[in-house]
Amino acid sequence: MTNSTASRTLGMAVMALITMAGLLAATQIPLLGAFMLSLAGIPAFVIILAWGGMWFLGYSALTLTLAGILSSPATAMTLVPLILMPAALLSAAVRLGLDPLRAITLTVLSATLFSTGLWGVTNGFGSDSPSLVPVREEFSRQIAAAEEQLAKIEEKGGESAEAFEVARENLRQVYDYTLLLIPATFLFVWHLITLAVFYGAAQRFAGQMGLAVDPVPPFSQWRFDWNLIWLFIGGWTLYHVLGSVESATISSLALNIGANCLAISSIIYFIAGLSLLFFMFDKYKIGAVARVGFSCLALVFTQAVVWFGIIDVWADFRTPKPALFSSGDSDEDF
């Protein structure tokens, strides 16, 4: 065994242990642990990008074996859709020479489709799936707590009974809509954060590992493929049009698919709209205080920012427009 092979074997073992630490953190501390698992998945992407597929397979086998022993086989298998498959897809996109935003976007959508399909095969897509019961119960507790607070405020008076009934109905609608986003949109957000972490880490350590990783463009220049607009249009049509048909089967399927397509595309176009807002900041030399103020407003009026990003698909605000008159026009004699 050469020194290079020995050092890589040792490095692979260390990286597998790092991923295991993240997995254990995720099982013990759900919220913070989820972010730790994203960080702990960096070795998967770095190994396949820097050392190739064979070392990645070795790392994957070692990691899954350790996870199965220290946790459970079922927990170990969750690493496949959450870390291993996304890392493989992103490395393939990078090796094909795609620019960073296109590579990440295609990988996020592909990984979400794969993870959602795997979820459906193993757990079922319906809201009555056993795996979704804890989620439903958590949302139910949150709704119950909010309704309890409303009841206390109602007892003190000051507002009409109709106003409280409207508030309760709004809470119920939020609850029902959120359930439609499980699992696809939740998995999309997970993959979006994780793959951004993967790519950022690869860019950070590219020089040390002899990698050629294209830098991500400045945030004010982030633009996405215009074809993504069909995801938004399709989601809107399914949710608002086909979701209201009389057939319960068609309506339920349309609502589920439409809600997730609409939510995922809205997240993408919110990022695009926010990027365009930062471009405007730079173009018009907006000061720091005003930037903070407008950014806070953007977080409040999210739908306006989404439409800002959608309109840019056709308006193309960032491309300089040709001058209406050439410099020589003013010198013409009449």
Side-chain angles (χ1 to χ4, degrees):
M1 180 181 292
T2 64
N3 290 335
S4 177
T5 302
S7 62
R8 286 189 177 185
T9 302
L10 179 60
M12 181 186 70
V14 172
M15 290 182 178
L17 291 175
I18 291 174
T19 305
M20 277 304 307
L23 178 61
L24 293 176
T27 57
Q28 299 298 320
I29 317 171
L31 293 179
L32 179 61
F35 178 70
M36 294 298 295
L37 184 57
S38 294
L39 294 176
I42 292 173
F45 181 57
V46 172
I47 283 178
I48 191 171
L49 200 61
W51 296 348
M54 293 304 298
W55 287 99
F56 175 74
L57 290 176
Y59 157 85
S60 300
L62 179 59
T63 302
L64 292 175
T65 301
L66 290 174
I69 294 173
L70 298 178
S71 184
S72 68
T75 301
M77 291 309 298
T78 61
L79 293 176
V80 175
L82 293 182
I83 290 178
L84 302 179
M85 182 58 70
L89 291 173
L90 183 57
S91 68
V94 171
R95 291 182 183 279
L96 286 173
L98 300 180
D99 64 82
L101 290 183
R102 185 183 294 271
I104 293 174
T105 302
L106 288 177
T107 304
V108 168
L109 293 176
S110 300
T112 300
L113 187 62
F114 175 82
S115 301
T116 304
L118 188 61
W119 177 294
V121 170
T122 56
N123 299 311
F125 290 105
S127 60
D128 295 328
S129 170
S131 64
L132 299 185
V133 171
V135 180
R136 290 177 62 90
E137 290 178 347
E138 179 61 29
F139 283 138
S140 296
R141 284 194 292 269
Q142 296 297 328
I143 293 296
E147 290 180 341
E148 185 178 346
Q149 291 297 320
L150 284 174
K152 291 181 180 179
I153 297 174
E154 186 176 13
E155 291 176 359
K156 296 179 180 179
E159 295 287 345
S160 64
E162 290 78 8
F164 286 101
E165 188 60 33
V166 170
R168 291 190 181 92
E169 180 61 26
N170 289 336
L171 284 173
R172 183 56 54 183
Q173 289 179 0
V174 170
Y175 171 74
D176 292 338
Y177 182 76
T178 303
L179 287 183
L180 293 175
L181 304 183
I182 301 170
T185 300
F186 282 78
L187 288 170
F188 171 82
V189 173
W190 159 266
H191 288 308
L192 180 63
I193 295 173
T194 300
L195 289 168
V197 170
F198 284 7
Y199 200 92
Q203 185 178 326
R204 170 67 176 81
F205 298 108
Q208 300 177 20
M209 304 195 68
L211 299 175
V213 180
D214 293 335
V216 177
F219 181 63
S220 60
Q221 299 299 323
W222 284 21
R223 309 177 77 174
F224 301 99
D225 193 303
W226 72 270
N227 286 295
L228 288 172
I229 193 62
W230 295 113
L231 185 65
F232 181 88
I233 294 173
W236 190 94
T237 303
L238 287 170
Y239 187 78
H240 291 287
V241 179
L242 294 182
S244 59
V245 299
E246 295 182 358
S247 173
T249 302
I250 296 177
S251 176
S252 176
L253 183 62
L255 285 174
N256 274 277
I257 297 176
N260 284 282
C261 289
L262 198 56
I264 289 172
S265 59
S266 294
I267 293 172
I268 293 174
Y269 282 112
F270 177 78
I271 296 173
L274 205 58
S275 169
L276 182 56
L277 184 63
F278 275 69
F279 171 81
M280 296 297 183
F281 289 163
D282 294 339
K283 181 178 180 179
Y284 296 107
K285 311 299 182 186
I286 304 298
V289 175
R291 290 185 181 219
V292 172
F294 281 120
S295 298
C296 291
L297 287 175
L299 296 177
V300 175
F301 299 103
T302 55
Q303 196 58 45
V305 178
V306 169
W307 281 107
F308 197 35
I310 291 174
I311 292 171
D312 185 48
V313 173
W314 292 279
D316 197 10
F317 293 109
R318 279 171 276 209
T319 299
K321 302 300 184 289
L324 294 177
F325 303 98
S326 65
S327 59
D329 289 344
S330 59
D331 298 330
E332 291 182 358
D333 295 329
F334 294 92

